[in-house]
């Protein structure tokens, strides 16, 4: 690996972490010594990368630093193509599926010819599956509520056919094989609850935001469920 490739790889690893990551971990991932890592951190900082931290504490790349123009390895191309095809085929969200196709087209336009060929002839396919049906409007409205941290009012019919009306604070949307599931704080139950989109009868975005940040709700829910925090 050349020094330029190593510096790019270091930037990419820093981008993956939302909290400071120790130098020992970065050096181990890159297969270099701590001394080399410290030199590389200093070189990136000199080039304008906003990397905060110090030896023994950890390093964090602040938002706003632009990476070099698009360049991917073959396996990264395979991962991108597979992910975009999955969203397009199985998300049950027409707007999100179209966005995945558009994003892949933009990536394709920026690739050199050899990698464009790999993308066009990628053999990893995602067959369509029959999904439980839900109103095609729900995913887009829920994604809007998640982005804007809006309270929502839903009419919901549970597995036993019982109907209830709830005001929810949505914080996550899960894309499972046969169902899409909303995770939310329920004002009625004063607790976390999960709702299948195909059982929603009505959905309304309310004008008010919920009282706690979405990230805090997600972190508390993950801790309760024993799910490791996002890196």
């Amino acid at each position: 690996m050349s020094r330029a490739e190593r510096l790019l790889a270091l930037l990419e690893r820093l981008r993956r972490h939302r909290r400071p990551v120790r130098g020992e971990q970065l050096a181990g991932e890159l297969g270099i010594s701590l001394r080399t890592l410290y030199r590389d951190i200093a070189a990136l900082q000199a080039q304008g990368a906003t990397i905060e931290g110090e030896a023994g504490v950890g390093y964090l790349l602040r938002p706003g630093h632009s990476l070099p123009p698009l360049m991917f390895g073959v396996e990264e191309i395979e991962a991108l193509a597979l992910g975009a095809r999955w969203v397009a085929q199985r998300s049950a969200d027409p707007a999100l599926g179209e966005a995945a196709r558009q994003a892949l087209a933009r990536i394709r336009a920026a690739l050199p010819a050899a990698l464009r060929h790999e993308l066009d002839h990628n053999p990893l396919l995602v067959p369509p599956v029959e999904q439980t049906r839900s109103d095609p409007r729900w995913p887009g409205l829920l994604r809007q509520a998640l982005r804007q941290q809006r309270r929502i009012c839903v009419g919901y019919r549970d597995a036993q056919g019982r109907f209830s009306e709830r005001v929810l604070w949505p914080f996550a949307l899960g894309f499972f094989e046969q169902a899409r599931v909303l995770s939310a704080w329920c004002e009625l139950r004063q607790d976390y609850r999960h709702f299948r989109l195909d059982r929603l009868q009505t959905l309304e975005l309310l004008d008010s935001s919920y009282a706690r940040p979405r990230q805090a709700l997600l972190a508390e829910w993950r801790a309760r469920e024993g799910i490791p925090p996002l890196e």
Side-chain angles (χ1 to χ4, degrees):
M1 180 186 297
S2 69
R3 185 168 185 267
E5 291 173 330
R6 191 176 72 240
L7 292 177
L8 177 57
L10 175 55
L11 272 176
E12 290 175 338
R13 278 166 172 76
L14 285 167
R15 286 185 73 195
R16 298 175 188 171
H17 296 278
R18 301 181 182 182
R19 294 180 294 276
V21 55
R22 295 181 63 85
E24 291 87 348
Q25 179 179 341
L26 291 169
E29 291 176 0
L30 293 168
I32 59 176
S33 67
L34 266 177
R35 185 176 179 180
T36 299
L37 176 78
Y38 296 149
R39 286 202 302 264
D40 288 351
I41 292 285
L44 289 172
Q45 289 171 330
Q47 295 174 23
T50 312
I51 302 173
E52 298 180 358
E54 59 186 55
V57 176
Y59 296 95
L60 180 67
L61 178 65
R62 290 298 179 188
H65 181 73
S66 297
L67 289 175
L70 282 176
M71 181 59 66
F72 300 101
V74 173
E75 288 188 340
E76 291 171 327
I77 291 293
E78 290 178 342
L80 286 168
L82 184 62
R85 288 169 180 170
W86 192 97
V87 172
Q89 291 276 11
R90 298 194 177 188
S91 67
D93 184 334
L96 201 61
E98 181 59 25
R101 287 185 284 268
Q102 291 178 357
L104 200 59
R106 289 188 181 186
I107 291 172
R108 182 186 183 280
L111 291 173
L115 288 178
R116 193 180 309 128
H117 177 83
E118 292 290 341
L119 179 62
D120 290 342
H121 298 86
N122 187 279
L124 305 182
L125 305 178
V126 179
V129 295
E130 186 171 351
Q131 301 165 346
T132 52
R133 295 190 176 276
S134 60
D135 192 309
R137 297 174 297 170
W138 297 163
L141 287 171
L142 289 172
R143 287 190 289 107
Q144 181 181 349
L146 288 165
R147 287 193 302 269
Q148 299 174 355
Q149 300 189 115
R150 299 259 295 274
R151 294 164 71 236
I152 62 174
C153 181
V154 304
Y156 190 74
R157 195 171 301 280
D158 66 17
Q160 286 72 44
R162 297 171 299 201
F163 180 83
S164 62
E165 191 169 88
R166 316 281 187 100
V167 174
L168 307 175
W169 305 358
F171 62 84
L173 185 59
F175 290 79
F176 296 93
E177 189 70 19
Q178 297 295 335
R180 307 296 170 257
V181 178
L182 175 69
S183 297
W185 175 266
C186 176
E187 292 188 1
L188 177 66
R189 303 301 185 195
Q190 286 294 294
D191 202 357
Y192 294 107
R193 290 290 187 270
H194 304 93
F195 303 88
R196 286 179 56 134
L197 267 60
D198 57 315
R199 293 178 182 159
L200 290 180
Q201 308 297 301
T202 61
L203 191 158
E204 178 188 0
L205 272 66
L206 302 180
D207 292 333
S208 55
S209 300
Y210 37 83
R212 298 179 60 196
R214 174 171 53 83
Q215 294 86 346
L217 293 172
L218 178 59
E220 183 177 87
W221 172 78
R222 292 178 71 93
R224 178 183 294 192
E225 297 294 323
I227 303 173
L230 295 170
E231 291 191 350

